[in-house]
Amino acid sequence: MPIHTPLCDLFGIEHPVLLAPMAGVSGGALAAEVSRAGGLGLIGGGYGDADWLERQFDVAGDAKVGAGFITWSLASRSHLLDLALDLAPAALMLSFGDFRPFLPHIRCKESKLIVQVQTLDQAREALDAGVDAIVAQGTEAGGHGGARATMPFVPAVVDIANDIPVIAAGGIANGRGLAAALALGASGVLCGTAFFASDESLASDNAKQAVVTGSGDNAERSAVFDLARGRDWPPDWKLRTMRNAFTRQWSADIDGLTRNLAAEQARFEVAQVADDSDVAAVIVGEAADLVWFREPAQTTLHRMISQAENHLRHISQLIEPIAKD
């Protein structure tokens, strides 16, 4: 029997695996491939670019895909929410910031809403608001995140979620991670790093190779790349990336980076264009150890499901049958 959870029923999908809406990485092709393989692909709306978003939905074609946004960026770009909803996404995911002002409009369009949380207080707010699903994100995740680790955080959210599906995120990139998340009570997983090096990913060639050859030992959280990109993130939200020459130079000297910011921002922009992963950001998490190949996203997802099924069967065999009287 295949793995089937309430998350599959909620979104009408075969496998309880969602593609994280990684900004600049999760485009229409990657989202569509994950959805066609039986999961749910979310296009990374990020900070908001209306033309780019519309193009990526066009690329996705007839595949059932959703979209994700950084919530606080929508405050000054409310038209992006209208655009996304008009594109009839399979789901909308909001992360980082107060989603509640946008909830009435989302409900008017009858779109399913996923909210990502990093604390129990945030989870309670989402539950009280009546969201359709919650992503409980552990600090192992790539990109921005909080301070809670996935293993204790996910079951803590599950314990208060009642019938609302909880989606585990952070450090999950293969079938063992999916099986573990299900054992913690999650209804599925949200994966970014696992699909970063996929053929359909919009990540650059050198960034993909940095992940395939990299290690979670070299994934660190800092404010370096937010400063380099000119992103005004609150100080509590650090960005997890692969360590490189740029972070080694500046992560312990934020004041020095700030003093030299104009020159370093220009250097960073040049590196992005040149695909120089020694300076440009490779935004992945601690699960980099588990990404071994550059391959189609479908291959990654199907292997994840097969591994999870095998591990769940093996775990069940560790329990002795109940003796009959």
Side-chain angles (χ1 to χ4, degrees):
M1 292 290 292
I3 297 170
H4 190 89
T5 74
L7 194 69
C8 299
D9 296 328
L10 177 63
F11 296 120
I13 56 180
E14 183 180 0
H15 306 305
V17 177
L18 276 61
L19 166 69
M22 298 174 284
V25 175
S26 298
L30 179 55
E33 186 71 5
V34 170
S35 291
R36 290 178 181 135
L40 178 60
L42 301 177
I43 293 173
Y47 301 92
D49 180 326
D51 292 340
W52 183 90
L53 183 66
E54 201 159 11
R55 286 197 304 273
Q56 296 309 315
F57 267 88
D58 285 343
V59 169
D62 61 357
K64 182 175 70 174
V65 300
F69 292 95
I70 296 168
T71 311
W72 57 258
S73 71
L74 292 176
S76 60
R77 302 176 179 86
S78 58
H79 65 287
L80 287 168
L81 183 59
D82 291 327
L83 171 62
L85 291 171
D86 287 344
L87 292 168
L92 198 68
M93 177 172 159
L94 298 181
S95 309
F96 310 110
D98 188 359
F99 67 90
R100 290 170 295 184
F102 307 104
L103 184 57
H105 191 41
I106 294 170
R107 288 305 186 212
C108 284
K109 295 288 188 175
E110 298 183 352
S111 179
K112 292 183 174 65
L113 176 62
I114 307 167
V115 169
Q116 181 167 258
V117 304
Q118 292 82 23
T119 70
L120 283 178
D121 283 344
Q122 292 170 0
R124 292 187 184 98
E125 288 178 355
L127 292 167
D128 289 344
V131 303
D132 296 292
I134 292 178
V135 172
Q137 185 206 42
T139 190
E140 299 93 328
H144 290 94
R148 295 291 307 269
T150 303
M151 180 69 78
F153 184 51
V154 169
V157 175
V158 169
D159 285 347
I160 64 173
N162 297 317
D163 295 330
I164 303 300
V166 175
I167 304 163
I172 300 166
N174 61 18
R176 287 174 292 176
L178 172 56
L182 296 175
L184 293 174
S187 192
V189 295
L190 179 85
C191 300
T193 301
F195 295 109
F196 186 94
S198 298
D199 292 344
E200 302 84 2
S201 162
L202 294 177
S204 70
D205 286 341
N206 284 344
K208 291 180 182 182
Q209 192 61 25
V211 177
V212 169
T213 60
S215 167
D217 286 350
N218 292 320
E220 69 169 311
R221 297 179 67 205
S222 77
V224 166
F225 288 117
D226 283 332
L227 288 168
R229 299 182 301 168
R231 302 294 188 188
D232 187 20
W233 274 80
D236 289 343
W237 301 117
K238 296 294 192 298
L239 182 71
R240 188 178 294 284
T241 67
M242 294 297 289
R243 187 178 293 115
N244 63 8
F246 198 74
T247 60
R248 283 191 288 272
Q249 180 178 0
W250 294 118
S251 61
D253 186 15
I254 296 299
D255 288 342
L257 175 57
T258 302
R259 289 192 300 270
N260 294 277
L261 193 55
E264 291 304 305
Q265 285 179 335
R267 177 185 170 209
F268 177 81
E269 290 174 4
V270 169
Q272 283 189 301
V273 173
D275 192 12
D276 178 2
S277 57
D278 277 339
V279 176
V282 179
I283 305 176
V284 294
E286 292 185 12
D289 302 273
L290 310 177
V291 179
W292 298 342
F293 311 107
R294 295 176 62 171
E295 61 186 6
Q298 180 185 58
T299 302
T300 301
L301 193 152
H302 286 169
R303 183 173 58 248
M304 181 183 297
I305 296 301
S306 177
Q307 287 178 345
E309 291 172 348
N310 289 336
H311 279 283
L312 290 171
R313 291 189 189 100
H314 174 72
I315 289 170
S316 70
Q317 293 171 3
L318 299 178
I319 303 174
E320 293 184 3
I322 297 175
K324 295 182 179 181
D325 294 333

